[in-house]
Amino acid sequence: LEYFPAIQSFMQETPVIALALEGEDAISRVRKILGPTDSNEAAPGTIRGDYGSKDQFSKMHNIRHASDSPESAAVELRRFFSESELFD
């Protein structure tokens, strides 16, 4: 995976702000607000469309990440939060 070192470097450039959101259709709603992974394809008014990178790295430097499924969310929540940090 030649692109992995570049992704890792980018992800370590600035602090991370992590959110755990829950609600009806939370995953699809958040992904709609973010826009497509490639910021060049993201419409104005979406987070990636307004703030994402518009260069050749737009898929990698897309400014935000969101889980794509409940299964991914479960793994990612464990990566970023302890059980005591998550509230109902």
Side-chain angles (χ1 to χ4, degrees):
L1 300 175
E2 353 179 310
Y3 63 88
F4 183 75
I7 292 173
Q8 184 177 20
S9 175
F10 170 70
M11 291 175 65
Q12 295 174 340
E13 286 179 6
T14 61
V16 172
I17 299 171
L19 300 172
L21 303 173
E22 181 180 47
E24 187 176 326
D25 299 322
I27 291 171
S28 62
R29 287 178 169 189
V30 167
R31 292 182 67 81
K32 184 175 181 179
I33 292 167
L34 288 177
T37 300
D38 186 338
S39 297
N40 285 316
E41 298 174 5
T46 63
I47 293 172
R48 289 177 179 145
D50 291 349
Y51 302 105
S53 173
K54 301 294 186 184
D55 59 20
Q56 73 269 24
F57 303 109
S58 63
K59 286 186 182 181
M60 187 179 356
H61 295 176
N62 64 27
I63 202 161
R64 299 288 182 268
H65 171 74
S67 302
D68 61 1
S69 68
E71 295 78 18
S72 293
V75 170
E76 293 167 352
L77 286 169
R78 286 191 303 273
R79 182 176 301 137
F80 291 104
F81 300 98
S82 68
E83 284 190 37
S84 66
E85 294 175 307
L86 298 171
F87 305 95
D88 286 330

